[in-house]
Amino acid sequence: HNGSFIKLLGSDNYVVAAGHTPDLIIYDEFADFDPRFDKAMRPNLAPKKAPIIIVGSPAHTSDSYYYKVEDEFRQRDNGEVFVMPTHINPHISKDWLKEEEESYRTRGEYATFQREYLAMKVFGGADAIFPMLKVPEQGLMEKYVGFTDHYVPYADKLAEIKRRYKDYDFYCSFDAGTVTCFAVLLIAIHRHSRKVTCLNSIYETDQGKTTTKQIFPRALELMQSICGDMDRWTMIYDNAAAWFAQEVQHEFDYNLFPCVKDLNKKEVKLSLIKDLMVYGRFEMTDECPKLMWEMSNYQRDQNGKIPKKNDHLIDNLRYILNQAGYDTVPREPWVDPRIEQGWRHSIRNNVDESRSLTEDIVEGFYGDSY
């Protein structure tokens, strides 16, 4: 009766979002929105200083536009974010909700239940390629909070490796992307336990900083900070970028090995990486946040295919495993023989020094779980 009306628009048709003067805007199922709709609609808030309400279950990938907007609203003085799981609704039967939860568990879709009913940020789910990856909590602007078995402090791992660096083989792989980014991954593989530690990385998306003369010195500095004996490093490059290896040889007098690709057996190497995680042979440090981001968001597309995007550091990991001849994962834990020597030393000298040696050795390979 007051001349007001409600207009319904679909976010897929983002070209119709411009040119309105609303009193209120409401987005529903925001995780499925085309970001271009929001970018076209936002200026319409200005004429009447209209509020905007955004509703929807959490998106299933951490790089979704959903989380970028959520971060924006958390940081704005006039914005607020509410987490409202289904069970707080007094009109929803708790017994029914429990039945739904069990049903989702049975179907192997519990991640969907957590997102849709518990409003939880759960990435991956049934389509995740690395569902066993232990991802730390995610803070604002794609920063990770805390550590897990697979995400460890760089300073601690570096100190551990420097104490016994001769027990490791060192690898550095270069994925010279010409469109999206230039990715570099530095890895140490323990010669006896075969544990893979992704130590450091470069993920350069500024195309003005991806030249050989800029990238290689950065990588060289990182390698030298880990192990100054450059003869112990094996450097690999994507053989589709032969120009990069030629420039490195000409400008810096270092020889790089072309990577051994497994394009026809990519899933085999991805399966190996899964086994590394399951059997406690894989970790990355907090200097590899983009690797954690790639792996936690790596999932099959709607056709069940492995996508060829956002996998630059994952490709580097595969190249290194191929170069290292890493084909099978040891199932049994490896125990350093120096532990037994430490115990004998303790008995012989009746001192407790060997216990600290034992703890140092075991914790170095298995964390605090021994």
Side-chain angles (χ1 to χ4, degrees), residues 39 57 71 81 92 113 131 158 167 176 220 233 249 263 307 334:
K39 293 173 182 178
S57 301
D71 286 348
V81 175
I92 298 293
F113 178 85
L158 184 59
D167 289 342
L220 195 61
W233 284 93
Q249 202 283 326
L263 294 179
W334 177 78

Side-chain angles (χ1 to χ4, degrees), residues 173 236-239 257-263 269 315-325:
S173 179
I236 310 157
Y237 69 96
D238 183 345
N239 54 22
F257 292 95
C259 70
V260 179
K261 289 198 172 184
D262 50 3
L263 294 179
K269 196 58 63 178
D315 281 348
N316 276 328
L317 174 56
R318 290 194 299 110
Y319 301 159
I320 289 174
L321 293 176
N322 286 335
Q323 183 70 29

Side-chain angles (χ1 to χ4, degrees), residues 64-318:
S64 169
Y65 185 67
Y66 177 104
Y67 294 113
K68 290 181 172 62
V69 173
E70 182 187 57
D71 286 348
E72 172 203 341
F73 273 67
R74 288 186 187 278
Q75 297 179 62
R76 289 176 57 167
D77 293 336
N78 63 343
E80 189 61 74
V81 175
F82 301 93
V83 178
M84 305 182 71
T86 303
H87 62 78
I88 70 173
N89 187 334
H91 303 288
I92 298 293
S93 166
K94 299 300 188 292
D95 291 336
W96 175 85
L97 194 58
K98 289 180 179 179
E99 291 177 0
E100 283 291 288
E101 181 177 19
E102 184 59 31
S103 175
Y104 275 90
R105 282 187 187 275
T106 302
R107 300 198 303 269
E109 301 176 2
Y110 190 60
T112 301
F113 178 85
Q114 290 174 303
R115 286 191 294 266
E116 297 294 333
Y117 292 88
L118 303 181
M120 294 175 61
K121 295 180 181 180
V122 182
F123 306 129
D127 295 325
I129 294 174
F130 300 115
M132 68 291 296
L133 178 65
K134 296 179 181 179
V135 183
E137 293 184 13
Q138 190 172 24
L140 298 180
M141 304 305 292
E142 298 181 355
K143 299 294 184 182
Y144 294 107
V145 180
F147 299 102
T148 69
D149 291 346
H150 296 146
Y151 197 70
V152 298
Y154 175 72
D156 293 350
K157 295 307 301 183
L158 184 59
E160 173 190 319
I161 288 173
K162 282 182 174 293
R163 286 199 300 270
R164 53 181 77 90
Y165 74 94
K166 291 184 178 180
D167 289 342
Y168 292 87
D169 292 319
F170 298 96
Y171 298 86
C172 181
S173 179
F174 298 84
D175 185 21
T178 57
V179 179
T180 54
C181 80
F182 197 127
V184 183
L185 185 62
L186 291 78
I187 285 180
I189 300 179
H190 193 274
R191 291 181 172 182
H192 308 294
S193 71
R194 303 296 286 162
K195 187 168 188 176
V196 175
T197 301
C198 302
L199 282 168
N200 215 318
S201 63
I202 297 173
Y203 197 89
E204 185 56 71
T205 57
D206 184 343
Q207 294 302 298
K209 299 178 181 179
T210 58
T211 65
T212 303
K213 290 184 178 181
Q214 292 171 299
I215 288 289
F216 190 76
R218 288 172 60 185
L220 195 61
E221 182 178 359
L222 290 177
M223 284 186 274
Q224 291 173 338
S225 69
I226 295 168
C227 176
D229 183 357
M230 293 306 298
D231 289 337
R232 297 184 60 82
W233 284 93
T234 300
M235 289 181 274
I236 310 157
Y237 69 96
D238 183 345
N239 54 22
W243 57 268
F244 175 71
Q246 293 170 1
E247 290 182 0
V248 168
Q249 202 283 326
H250 177 72
E251 296 288 340
F252 301 96
D253 198 26
Y254 280 97
N255 294 315
L256 278 63
F257 292 95
C259 70
V260 179
K261 289 198 172 184
D262 50 3
L263 294 179
N264 296 326
K265 297 181 180 179
K266 186 174 183 178
E267 294 206 29
V268 173
K269 196 58 63 178
L270 294 178
S271 178
L272 174 69
I273 297 172
K274 294 178 187 180
D275 283 346
L276 288 171
M277 295 178 186
V278 170
Y279 290 99
R281 298 299 203 283
F282 177 84
E283 63 189 1
M284 70 187 81
T285 75
D286 53 348
E287 291 294 332
C288 302
K290 278 297 184 179
L291 177 60
M292 175 59 75
W293 173 76
E294 284 189 358
M295 298 185 86
S296 62
N297 288 288
Y298 206 41
Q299 56 187 332
R300 299 180 186 276
D301 61 22
Q302 59 186 2
N303 298 316
K305 304 295 184 180
I306 298 175
K308 183 54 187 169
K309 64 177 183 178
N310 297 329
D311 59 354
H312 306 285
L313 290 171
I314 294 174
D315 281 348
N316 276 328
L317 174 56
R318 290 194 299 110

